[in-house]
Structure formats: C-alpha cells, structure tokens
Coordinates of all heavy atoms in Angstrom, one line a residue:
M18 N 0.8 -1.2 0.0 CA 0.0 0.0 0.0 C 0.9 1.3 0.0 O 0.5 2.2 -0.6 CB -0.9 -0.1 1.2 CG -1.9 1.1 1.3 SD -3.1 0.9 0.0 CE -4.3 2.0 0.5
N19 N 2.0 1.2 0.8 CA 2.9 2.4 0.9 C 3.5 2.6 -0.5 O 3.7 3.8 -0.9 CB 3.9 2.1 1.9 CG 4.6 3.4 2.3 OD1 4.2 4.5 2.0 ND2 5.8 3.2 3.0
K20 N 3.8 1.6 -1.2 CA 4.4 1.7 -2.5 C 3.5 2.3 -3.5 O 3.9 3.2 -4.3 CB 4.8 0.3 -3.1 CG 5.7 0.3 -4.3 CD 6.1 -1.1 -4.6 CE 7.0 -1.2 -5.8 NZ 7.4 -2.5 -6.2
L21 N 2.2 2.0 -3.5 CA 1.2 2.6 -4.3 C 1.0 4.0 -4.0 O 0.8 4.9 -4.9 CB -0.1 1.8 -4.2 CG -1.3 2.3 -5.0 CD1 -1.0 2.2 -6.5 CD2 -2.6 1.5 -4.6
S22 N 1.0 4.4 -2.8 CA 0.8 5.9 -2.4 C 2.0 6.7 -2.9 O 1.8 7.9 -3.2 CB 0.6 6.0 -0.9 OG 1.8 5.6 -0.2
K23 N 3.2 6.1 -3.0 CA 4.3 6.9 -3.6 C 4.2 7.1 -5.1 O 4.7 8.0 -5.6 CB 5.6 6.2 -3.3 CG 6.0 6.2 -1.8 CD 7.3 5.5 -1.6 CE 7.7 5.6 -0.1 NZ 8.9 4.9 0.2
L24 N 3.5 6.2 -5.8 CA 3.3 6.3 -7.2 C 2.1 7.1 -7.6 O 2.0 7.5 -8.8 CB 3.2 4.9 -7.8 CG 4.4 4.0 -7.8 CD1 4.1 2.6 -8.3 CD2 5.5 4.6 -8.6
L25 N 1.3 7.5 -6.7 CA 0.1 8.3 -7.1 C 0.4 9.6 -7.7 O -0.3 10.0 -8.7 CB -0.8 8.5 -5.8 CG -1.7 7.3 -5.5 CD1 -2.5 7.5 -4.2 CD2 -2.6 6.9 -6.6
P26 N 1.3 10.4 -7.3 CA 1.6 11.7 -8.0 C 2.1 11.5 -9.4 O 1.6 12.2 -10.3 CB 2.7 12.3 -7.1 CG 2.6 11.7 -5.8 CD 2.1 10.3 -6.0
A27 N 2.9 10.5 -9.6 CA 3.3 10.2 -11.0 C 2.2 9.7 -11.9 O 2.0 10.1 -13.0 CB 4.5 9.2 -11.0
L28 N 1.3 8.9 -11.3 CA 0.2 8.4 -12.0 C -0.8 9.5 -12.4 O -1.3 9.6 -13.5 CB -0.6 7.3 -11.2 CG -1.8 6.7 -11.8 CD1 -1.4 6.0 -13.1 CD2 -2.5 5.8 -10.8
A29 N -1.0 10.5 -11.4 CA -1.8 11.6 -11.7 C -1.3 12.5 -12.8 O -2.0 13.0 -13.6 CB -2.0 12.4 -10.4
L30 N 0.0 12.7 -12.8 CA 0.7 13.5 -13.8 C 0.5 12.8 -15.2 O 0.2 13.5 -16.2 CB 2.2 13.6 -13.5 CG 3.0 14.5 -14.5 CD1 2.5 15.9 -14.5 CD2 4.4 14.4 -14.2
V31 N 0.7 11.5 -15.3 CA 0.6 10.8 -16.6 C -0.9 10.9 -17.0 O -1.2 11.1 -18.2 CB 1.1 9.4 -16.4 CG1 0.7 8.5 -17.6 CG2 2.6 9.3 -16.2
L32 N -1.8 10.7 -16.1 CA -3.2 10.7 -16.4 C -3.6 12.1 -16.9 O -4.4 12.3 -17.9 CB -4.1 10.3 -15.2 CG -5.5 10.1 -15.5 CD1 -5.8 9.0 -16.5 CD2 -6.2 9.7 -14.1
G33 N -3.2 13.1 -16.2 CA -3.5 14.5 -16.6 C -2.9 14.8 -18.0 O -3.6 15.5 -18.8
A34 N -1.7 14.4 -18.3 CA -1.1 14.7 -19.6 C -1.9 13.9 -20.7 O -2.1 14.4 -21.8 CB 0.4 14.2 -19.6
T35 N -2.3 12.7 -20.4 CA -3.1 11.9 -21.3 C -4.4 12.6 -21.7 O -4.8 12.7 -22.8 CB -3.4 10.5 -20.8 OG1 -2.1 9.9 -20.5 CG2 -4.1 9.7 -21.8
F36 N -5.1 13.1 -20.7 CA -6.3 13.8 -20.9 C -6.1 15.1 -21.6 O -6.9 15.5 -22.5 CB -7.1 14.1 -19.6 CG -7.9 12.9 -19.1 CD1 -7.6 12.3 -17.9 CD2 -8.9 12.3 -19.9 CE1 -8.3 11.2 -17.4 CE2 -9.6 11.2 -19.4 CZ -9.3 10.7 -18.2
A37 N -5.0 15.8 -21.3 CA -4.7 17.1 -22.0 C -4.5 16.9 -23.5 O -5.0 17.6 -24.3 CB -3.5 17.7 -21.4
V38 N -3.9 15.8 -23.9 CA -3.6 15.5 -25.3 C -4.9 15.0 -25.9 O -5.2 15.4 -27.1 CB -2.5 14.5 -25.4 CG1 -2.3 14.0 -26.9 CG2 -1.1 15.2 -25.0
A39 N -5.6 14.1 -25.2 CA -6.8 13.5 -25.8 C -7.9 14.4 -26.1 O -8.7 14.3 -27.0 CB -7.2 12.3 -24.9
F40 N -8.1 15.4 -25.2 CA -9.2 16.3 -25.3 C -8.9 17.7 -25.9 O -9.7 18.6 -25.8 CB -9.9 16.5 -24.0 CG -10.5 15.2 -23.5 CD1 -10.0 14.5 -22.5 CD2 -11.6 14.6 -24.2 CE1 -10.6 13.3 -22.1 CE2 -12.2 13.4 -23.8 CZ -11.7 12.7 -22.8
S41 N -7.7 17.9 -26.4 CA -7.4 19.1 -27.1 C -7.5 19.0 -28.6 O -7.2 17.9 -29.1 CB -6.0 19.6 -26.7 OG -5.0 18.7 -27.2
F42 N -8.0 20.0 -29.2 CA -8.3 19.9 -30.7 C -7.1 20.5 -31.4 O -6.6 21.6 -31.0 CB -9.6 20.6 -31.0 CG -10.8 19.9 -30.4 CD1 -11.4 20.5 -29.3 CD2 -11.3 18.7 -30.9 CE1 -12.5 19.8 -28.7 CE2 -12.4 18.1 -30.3 CZ -13.0 18.7 -29.2
P43 N -6.7 20.0 -32.5 CA -5.7 20.6 -33.3 C -6.2 21.9 -33.9 O -7.3 22.0 -34.3 CB -5.3 19.6 -34.4 CG -6.6 18.8 -34.5 CD -7.2 18.7 -33.2
K44 N -5.3 22.9 -33.9 CA -5.6 24.1 -34.6 C -5.6 24.0 -36.1 O -4.6 23.5 -36.6 CB -4.7 25.3 -34.1 CG -4.9 25.6 -32.7 CD -4.0 26.7 -32.3 CE -4.2 27.0 -30.8 NZ -3.4 28.2 -30.4
T45 N -6.6 24.4 -36.7 CA -6.6 24.3 -38.2 C -6.5 25.7 -38.7 O -6.9 26.7 -38.2 CB -8.0 23.8 -38.7 OG1 -9.0 24.6 -38.2 CG2 -8.1 22.3 -38.2
Q46 N -5.8 25.8 -39.8 CA -5.6 27.1 -40.5 C -6.9 27.4 -41.2 O -7.4 26.7 -42.0 CB -4.4 27.0 -41.5 CG -4.1 28.3 -42.1 CD -2.9 28.2 -43.0 OE1 -2.4 27.1 -43.2 NE2 -2.5 29.3 -43.5
T47 N -7.3 28.6 -40.9 CA -8.6 29.1 -41.6 C -8.3 29.8 -42.9 O -7.4 30.6 -42.9 CB -9.3 30.0 -40.6 OG1 -9.6 29.4 -39.4 CG2 -10.6 30.4 -41.2
G48 N -9.0 29.4 -43.9 CA -8.8 30.1 -45.2 C -10.0 30.9 -45.5 O -11.0 31.0 -44.7
M49 N -10.1 31.4 -46.7 CA -11.2 32.1 -47.3 C -11.6 31.4 -48.6 O -10.8 31.2 -49.4 CB -10.9 33.5 -47.5 CG -10.6 34.3 -46.2 SD -10.5 36.1 -46.3 CE -9.5 36.3 -47.8
F50 N -12.9 31.1 -48.7 CA -13.4 30.3 -49.9 C -14.6 31.0 -50.3 O -15.5 31.5 -49.5 CB -13.6 28.9 -49.5 CG -12.4 28.2 -49.0 CD1 -12.1 28.2 -47.6 CD2 -11.5 27.5 -49.9 CE1 -10.9 27.5 -47.2 CE2 -10.4 26.9 -49.4 CZ -10.1 26.9 -48.1
G51 N -14.8 31.0 -51.7 CA -16.0 31.5 -52.2 C -16.7 30.5 -53.1 O -16.0 29.7 -53.8
L52 N -18.0 30.6 -53.2 CA -18.8 29.6 -54.0 C -19.4 30.4 -55.2 O -20.1 31.3 -55.0 CB -19.9 29.0 -53.2 CG -20.9 28.1 -53.9 CD1 -20.1 26.9 -54.5 CD2 -21.9 27.6 -53.0
D53 N -19.1 29.9 -56.4 CA -19.7 30.5 -57.6 C -20.5 29.3 -58.3 O -19.8 28.5 -58.9 CB -18.7 31.1 -58.5 CG -19.3 31.7 -59.8 OD1 -20.2 32.5 -59.6 OD2 -18.8 31.4 -60.9
G54 N -21.8 29.3 -58.1 CA -22.5 28.2 -58.7 C -22.3 26.9 -57.9 O -22.7 26.8 -56.8
T55 N -21.6 26.0 -58.5 CA -21.2 24.7 -57.9 C -19.7 24.6 -57.7 O -19.2 23.6 -57.2 CB -21.7 23.5 -58.7 OG1 -21.1 23.6 -60.0 CG2 -23.2 23.5 -58.8
T56 N -18.9 25.6 -58.0 CA -17.5 25.6 -57.9 C -17.0 26.4 -56.7 O -17.4 27.6 -56.6 CB -16.8 26.1 -59.2 OG1 -17.3 25.4 -60.3 CG2 -15.3 26.0 -59.1
W57 N -16.2 25.8 -55.9 CA -15.6 26.5 -54.7 C -14.2 27.0 -55.1 O -13.4 26.2 -55.7 CB -15.5 25.5 -53.5 CG -16.8 25.3 -52.8 CD1 -17.6 24.3 -53.0 CD2 -17.3 26.1 -51.8 NE1 -18.7 24.4 -52.2 CE2 -18.5 25.6 -51.4 CE3 -16.9 27.3 -51.1 CZ2 -19.4 26.1 -50.4 CZ3 -17.7 27.8 -50.2 CH2 -18.9 27.2 -49.8
Y58 N -13.9 28.2 -54.7 CA -12.5 28.8 -55.0 C -11.8 29.1 -53.7 O -12.5 29.6 -52.8 CB -12.7 30.0 -55.9 CG -13.2 29.8 -57.3 CD1 -14.5 29.9 -57.6 CD2 -12.3 29.3 -58.3 CE1 -15.0 29.7 -58.9 CE2 -12.8 29.1 -59.5 CZ -14.1 29.3 -59.8 OH -14.6 29.0 -61.1
D59 N -10.5 28.8 -53.7 CA -9.7 29.2 -52.5 C -9.1 30.6 -52.8 O -8.3 30.8 -53.7 CB -8.6 28.2 -52.3 CG -7.7 28.5 -51.1 OD1 -7.9 29.5 -50.5 OD2 -6.9 27.6 -50.8
V60 N -9.6 31.6 -52.0 CA -9.2 33.0 -52.3 C -8.4 33.5 -51.1 O -8.3 34.7 -50.8 CB -10.4 33.9 -52.6 CG1 -11.0 33.5 -53.9 CG2 -11.4 33.8 -51.5
T61 N -7.8 32.6 -50.3 CA -7.1 32.9 -49.1 C -5.9 33.9 -49.4 O -5.8 34.9 -48.7 CB -6.5 31.7 -48.4 OG1 -7.5 30.7 -48.2 CG2 -5.8 32.0 -47.1
E62 N -5.2 33.7 -50.5 CA -4.1 34.6 -50.8 C -4.4 35.5 -52.0 O -3.5 36.1 -52.6 CB -2.9 33.7 -51.2 CG -2.4 32.8 -50.1 CD -1.8 33.6 -48.9 OE1 -1.2 34.6 -49.1 OE2 -2.0 33.1 -47.8
T63 N -5.7 35.7 -52.3 CA -6.1 36.5 -53.5 C -6.8 37.7 -53.0 O -7.8 37.6 -52.2 CB -7.0 35.6 -54.4 OG1 -6.4 34.4 -54.7 CG2 -7.4 36.4 -55.6
D64 N -6.4 38.9 -53.5 CA -7.1 40.1 -53.2 C -8.3 40.3 -54.2 O -8.2 40.0 -55.4 CB -6.2 41.3 -53.4 CG -5.1 41.3 -52.3 OD1 -5.4 40.9 -51.2 OD2 -4.0 41.7 -52.6
P65 N -9.5 40.7 -53.7 CA -10.6 40.9 -54.6 C -10.3 42.2 -55.5 O -9.9 43.2 -55.0 CB -11.8 41.2 -53.7 CG -11.2 41.6 -52.4 CD -9.8 41.0 -52.3
D66 N -10.5 42.0 -56.8 CA -10.5 43.1 -57.7 C -11.2 42.7 -59.0 O -11.8 41.6 -59.1 CB -9.1 43.6 -58.0 CG -8.2 42.5 -58.6 OD1 -8.7 41.6 -59.3 OD2 -7.0 42.6 -58.4
E67 N -11.2 43.5 -60.0 CA -11.9 43.3 -61.2 C -11.3 42.2 -62.1 O -11.9 41.8 -63.1 CB -12.0 44.6 -62.0 CG -12.8 45.7 -61.3 CD -14.3 45.3 -61.0 OE1 -14.9 44.6 -61.9 OE2 -14.7 45.6 -59.9
D68 N -10.1 41.7 -61.7 CA -9.5 40.6 -62.4 C -9.5 39.2 -61.7 O -8.9 38.3 -62.2 CB -8.1 41.0 -62.8 CG -7.5 40.2 -63.9 OD1 -8.3 39.9 -64.9 OD2 -6.3 39.9 -63.9
T69 N -10.1 39.2 -60.5 CA -10.2 37.9 -59.8 C -11.6 37.7 -59.3 O -12.3 36.9 -60.0 CB -9.3 38.0 -58.5 OG1 -9.6 39.1 -57.7 CG2 -7.8 38.0 -58.9
Y70 N -12.1 38.3 -58.3 CA -13.5 38.1 -57.8 C -13.9 39.4 -57.1 O -13.0 40.2 -56.7 CB -13.6 36.9 -56.9 CG -13.0 37.1 -55.5 CD1 -13.8 37.6 -54.4 CD2 -11.7 37.0 -55.2 CE1 -13.3 37.8 -53.2 CE2 -11.1 37.2 -54.0 CZ -12.0 37.6 -52.9 OH -11.5 37.8 -51.7
V71 N -15.2 39.5 -56.9 CA -15.7 40.6 -56.1 C -16.8 40.1 -55.2 O -17.4 39.1 -55.5 CB -16.2 41.8 -56.9 CG1 -15.1 42.5 -57.7 CG2 -17.3 41.4 -57.9
C72 N -17.1 40.8 -54.1 CA -18.2 40.5 -53.3 C -19.2 41.6 -53.5 O -19.0 42.7 -53.1 CB -17.8 40.4 -51.8 SG -16.9 39.0 -51.4
D73 N -20.3 41.3 -54.2 CA -21.2 42.3 -54.7 C -22.6 41.8 -54.6 O -22.8 40.6 -54.5 CB -20.9 42.8 -56.1 CG -21.5 44.1 -56.5 OD1 -22.0 44.8 -55.6 OD2 -21.4 44.4 -57.7
Q74 N -23.6 42.6 -54.7 CA -25.0 42.3 -54.7 C -25.4 41.7 -53.3 O -24.6 41.4 -52.5 CB -25.4 41.4 -55.8 CG -25.1 41.9 -57.2 CD -25.3 40.9 -58.3 OE1 -25.7 39.8 -58.0 NE2 -25.1 41.3 -59.5
S75 N -26.7 41.5 -53.1 CA -27.2 41.0 -51.9 C -27.3 39.5 -51.9 O -27.9 39.0 -52.9 CB -28.5 41.7 -51.5 OG -29.0 41.2 -50.3
D76 N -26.9 38.8 -50.9 CA -27.0 37.4 -50.8 C -27.1 37.0 -49.3 O -26.1 37.3 -48.5 CB -25.8 36.6 -51.4 CG -26.0 35.1 -51.4 OD1 -27.0 34.6 -51.0 OD2 -25.1 34.5 -52.0
P77 N -28.2 36.4 -48.8 CA -28.3 36.2 -47.4 C -27.2 35.2 -46.9 O -26.9 35.1 -45.7 CB -29.7 35.6 -47.2 CG -30.1 35.1 -48.6 CD -29.3 36.0 -49.6
E78 N -26.7 34.3 -47.7 CA -25.7 33.3 -47.3 C -24.3 33.9 -47.0 O -23.7 33.5 -46.1 CB -25.6 32.2 -48.4 CG -26.8 31.4 -48.5 CD -27.2 30.6 -47.3 OE1 -26.3 30.0 -46.6 OE2 -28.3 30.7 -46.9
G79 N -23.9 34.9 -47.8 CA -22.6 35.5 -47.6 C -21.7 35.3 -48.7 O -21.9 34.4 -49.6
C80 N -20.6 36.0 -48.7 CA -19.6 36.0 -49.8 C -18.5 34.9 -49.6 O -18.2 34.1 -50.4 CB -19.1 37.3 -50.1 SG -17.8 37.4 -51.4
L81 N -17.9 35.0 -48.5 CA -16.7 34.2 -48.2 C -17.0 33.3 -47.0 O -17.7 33.6 -46.1 CB -15.5 35.1 -47.9 CG -15.1 36.0 -49.0 CD1 -13.9 36.9 -48.5 CD2 -14.7 35.2 -50.2
Y82 N -16.4 32.1 -47.0 CA -16.6 31.1 -46.0 C -15.2 30.7 -45.5 O -14.2 30.8 -46.2 CB -17.3 29.9 -46.6 CG -18.7 30.2 -47.0 CD1 -18.9 30.7 -48.2 CD2 -19.8 29.9 -46.2 CE1 -20.2 31.0 -48.7 CE2 -21.1 30.2 -46.6 CZ -21.3 30.7 -47.8 OH -22.6 31.0 -48.2
D83 N -15.2 30.1 -44.2 CA -13.9 29.7 -43.7 C -13.5 28.3 -44.1 O -12.4 27.9 -43.7 CB -13.9 29.9 -42.1 CG -15.0 29.1 -41.4 OD1 -15.7 28.3 -42.1 OD2 -15.1 29.3 -40.2
A84 N -14.3 27.6 -44.8 CA -14.0 26.2 -45.3 C -14.9 26.0 -46.5 O -16.0 26.5 -46.6 CB -14.2 25.2 -44.2
P85 N -14.4 25.2 -47.5 CA -15.2 24.9 -48.7 C -16.2 23.8 -48.5 O -16.2 23.1 -47.5 CB -14.1 24.6 -49.7 CG -13.1 23.9 -48.9 CD -13.1 24.6 -47.6
F86 N -16.9 23.5 -49.6 CA -17.8 22.4 -49.7 C -18.9 22.3 -48.7 O -19.3 21.2 -48.3 CB -17.0 21.1 -49.8 CG -15.8 21.1 -50.7 CD1 -14.5 21.1 -50.2 CD2 -16.0 21.2 -52.1 CE1 -13.4 21.1 -51.1 CE2 -15.0 21.3 -52.9 CZ -13.7 21.2 -52.5
G87 N -19.4 23.5 -48.3 CA -20.6 23.5 -47.4 C -20.3 23.2 -46.0 O -21.2 23.1 -45.2
V88 N -19.1 23.0 -45.6 CA -18.8 22.7 -44.2 C -18.4 23.9 -43.4 O -18.3 23.9 -42.2 CB -17.7 21.6 -44.0 CG1 -18.2 20.3 -44.6 CG2 -16.4 22.0 -44.6
G89 N -18.1 25.0 -44.1 CA -17.6 26.2 -43.4 C -18.8 27.1 -43.0 O -19.9 26.9 -43.4
S90 N -18.4 28.1 -42.3 CA -19.4 29.2 -41.8 C -19.0 30.5 -42.6 O -17.9 30.7 -42.9 CB -19.2 29.4 -40.3 OG -19.5 28.2 -39.6
P91 N -20.0 31.3 -42.8 CA -19.8 32.6 -43.5 C -18.8 33.4 -42.6 O -18.9 33.4 -41.4 CB -21.1 33.2 -43.6 CG -22.1 32.1 -43.5 CD -21.5 31.1 -42.6
I92 N -17.9 34.1 -43.3 CA -17.0 35.0 -42.6 C -17.6 36.3 -42.4 O -18.1 36.9 -43.4 CB -15.6 35.1 -43.3 CG1 -14.9 33.7 -43.4 CG2 -14.7 36.1 -42.7 CD1 -13.7 33.7 -44.2
G93 N -17.7 36.8 -41.2 CA -18.3 38.1 -41.0 C -17.4 39.3 -41.5 O -16.4 39.1 -42.1
G94 N -17.9 40.4 -41.3 CA -17.1 41.6 -41.7 C -17.8 42.3 -42.9 O -19.0 42.1 -43.1
P95 N -17.0 43.0 -43.7 CA -17.6 43.8 -44.8 C -18.2 43.0 -45.9 O -18.9 43.5 -46.7 CB -16.4 44.7 -45.3 CG -15.2 44.0 -44.8 CD -15.5 43.2 -43.6
T96 N -17.8 41.7 -46.0 CA -18.4 40.9 -47.1 C -19.6 40.2 -46.7 O -20.2 39.5 -47.5 CB -17.3 39.9 -47.6 OG1 -17.0 39.0 -46.6 CG2 -16.1 40.6 -48.1
Q97 N -20.0 40.2 -45.4 CA -21.2 39.5 -45.0 C -22.4 40.0 -45.7 O -22.7 41.2 -45.8 CB -21.3 39.6 -43.5 CG -22.5 38.8 -43.0 CD -22.2 38.0 -41.8 OE1 -21.2 38.1 -41.2 NE2 -23.1 37.1 -41.4
G98 N -23.2 39.1 -46.2 CA -24.4 39.5 -46.9 C -24.3 39.9 -48.4 O -25.2 40.3 -49.0
L99 N -23.0 39.7 -48.9 CA -22.8 40.0 -50.3 C -22.6 38.7 -51.0 O -22.2 37.6 -50.5 CB -21.5 40.9 -50.4 CG -21.6 42.2 -49.8 CD1 -20.3 43.0 -49.9 CD2 -22.8 43.0 -50.3
K100 N -22.7 38.7 -52.3 CA -22.6 37.5 -53.2 C -21.2 37.5 -53.8 O -20.6 38.5 -54.2 CB -23.6 37.6 -54.3 CG -23.6 36.4 -55.2 CD -24.8 36.6 -56.2 CE -24.8 35.5 -57.2 NZ -25.2 34.2 -56.6
F101 N -20.6 36.2 -53.9 CA -19.3 36.0 -54.5 C -19.5 35.9 -56.0 O -20.3 35.1 -56.5 CB -18.8 34.6 -54.0 CG -17.4 34.3 -54.4 CD1 -16.3 34.8 -53.9 CD2 -17.2 33.4 -55.5 CE1 -15.0 34.5 -54.3 CE2 -16.0 33.1 -56.0 CZ -14.9 33.6 -55.4
I102 N -18.8 36.8 -56.7 CA -18.9 36.8 -58.1 C -17.5 36.7 -58.7 O -16.6 37.5 -58.4 CB -19.5 38.2 -58.6 CG1 -20.9 38.3 -58.0 CG2 -19.6 38.2 -60.1 CD1 -21.6 39.6 -58.2
V103 N -17.3 35.7 -59.6 CA -16.0 35.5 -60.2 C -15.9 36.4 -61.4 O -16.8 36.5 -62.3 CB -15.9 34.0 -60.7 CG1 -14.6 33.8 -61.6 CG2 -15.9 33.1 -59.6
Q104 N -14.8 37.2 -61.5 CA -14.5 38.1 -62.6 C -13.7 37.4 -63.6 O -13.9 37.6 -64.8 CB -13.8 39.3 -62.1 CG -14.6 40.1 -61.0 CD -15.8 40.8 -61.6 OE1 -15.8 41.1 -62.8 NE2 -16.9 40.9 -60.8
N105 N -12.7 36.6 -63.2 CA -11.8 35.9 -64.1 C -11.4 34.6 -63.5 O -10.5 34.6 -62.6 CB -10.6 36.8 -64.5 CG -9.7 36.1 -65.6 OD1 -9.9 35.0 -65.9 ND2 -8.8 36.9 -66.1
E106 N -12.0 33.5 -63.9 CA -11.7 32.2 -63.2 C -10.3 31.7 -63.5 O -9.8 30.9 -62.7 CB -12.7 31.1 -63.6 CG -12.6 30.7 -65.1 CD -13.7 29.7 -65.4 OE1 -14.8 29.8 -64.9 OE2 -13.4 28.9 -66.3
D107 N -9.6 32.2 -64.5 CA -8.2 31.8 -64.8 C -7.3 32.3 -63.7 O -6.2 31.8 -63.5 CB -7.8 32.3 -66.1 CG -8.6 31.7 -67.3 OD1 -9.0 30.5 -67.1 OD2 -8.7 32.3 -68.3
N108 N -7.7 33.4 -63.0 CA -6.8 33.9 -61.9 C -7.2 33.4 -60.5 O -6.7 33.9 -59.5 CB -6.9 35.5 -61.9 CG -6.3 36.0 -63.2 OD1 -5.4 35.4 -63.8 ND2 -6.8 37.2 -63.6
L109 N -8.1 32.4 -60.4 CA -8.5 31.9 -59.2 C -8.1 30.4 -59.1 O -8.0 29.7 -60.1 CB -10.0 32.0 -59.0 CG -10.5 33.4 -58.9 CD1 -12.0 33.4 -58.8 CD2 -9.9 34.1 -57.6
I110 N -7.9 29.9 -57.9 CA -7.6 28.5 -57.6 C -8.8 27.8 -57.1 O -9.4 28.2 -56.1 CB -6.4 28.4 -56.6 CG1 -5.2 29.2 -57.1 CG2 -6.1 27.0 -56.3 CD1 -4.2 29.4 -56.0
E111 N -9.2 26.7 -57.7 CA -10.3 25.9 -57.2 C -9.9 25.2 -55.9 O -8.7 24.8 -55.7 CB -10.7 24.8 -58.2 CG -11.5 25.4 -59.4 CD -12.1 24.3 -60.2 OE1 -12.5 23.2 -59.7 OE2 -12.3 24.5 -61.5
A112 N -10.8 25.1 -55.0 CA -10.6 24.5 -53.7 C -10.4 23.0 -53.8 O -11.0 22.4 -54.7 CB -11.7 24.8 -52.7
Q113 N -9.5 22.5 -53.0 CA -9.2 21.1 -53.0 C -9.9 20.4 -51.9 O -9.8 20.8 -50.8 CB -7.7 20.8 -52.9 CG -6.9 21.5 -54.0 CD -7.1 20.8 -55.4 OE1 -7.3 19.6 -55.5 NE2 -7.2 21.6 -56.5

C-alpha cells in the first residue's frame, strides 16, 4: 500500500497529460473560400479586384466562408451578406 501511495503523484501526472492531449483539438488554419454556382474557389491569398473576384449584390448566405464544400461558416465583416462573383476564373484556384 505504501508503494502505491508513492506512485500516485506520477500516475496523476501521466493521467493529466493523457487527458490534455486526448481532449485538445488541433488548430486548423482558416482560409477564405467563395462559391460560384457549384465551384468552390480558394481565395485565401487572393485580393478581390476586377481581375479575380468581387463580393457584390445582396445574398443572405454570404460571400466568403472559412471552409469549402458546405462545411464552413460565413466569414463576417464587410463581405457578410454579399454575393461571391467570379470576374476571371483563370486567376483563381479551385478549392481542393
């Protein structure tokens, strides 16, 4: 019994570290994605202009999302409530 009581602090430390790793979620890098019809575009590194895309007109869903393929949430800010419009698809990258 005395031997077990000496091991309890080490066991608690190992158990705490195990729970910390098991219940922490990995941080994911958030991007910016736009949907034009049925095509998702990754616009994380793309500035909106007349040669790439614009967020214009009214759309209740939003212009940019934090993940593609319907799993992301609309990104708030100045583009919320605007529609994603492709100006030149050759200058955009389709989401993978």
Side-chain angles (χ1 to χ4, degrees):
M18 184 71 166
N19 196 16
K20 189 176 184 182
L21 180 62
S22 64
K23 289 182 182 180
L24 290 176
L25 281 178
L28 180 61
L30 181 65
V31 169
L32 187 61
T35 301
F36 279 120
V38 171
F40 294 109
S41 64
F42 297 101
K44 292 184 179 181
T45 57
Q46 184 177 5
T47 303
M49 294 190 315
F50 302 88
L52 174 63
D53 182 48
T55 59
T56 305
W57 284 93
Y58 293 97
D59 183 351
V60 294
T61 306
E62 300 293 325
T63 306
D64 293 325
D66 62 28
E67 296 301 319
D68 201 34
T69 55
Y70 74 96
V71 294
C72 290
D73 197 12
Q74 302 174 357
S75 178
D76 185 0
E78 292 298 314
C80 179
L81 299 176
Y82 296 81
D83 59 7
F86 310 114
V88 297
S90 300
I92 297 173
T96 65
Q97 181 135 12
L99 298 177
K100 183 175 179 66
F101 183 81
I102 300 172
V103 173
Q104 299 293 327
N105 186 350
E106 66 184 33
D107 295 332
N108 292 334
L109 295 174
I110 301 168
E111 285 193 30
Q113 301 291 324

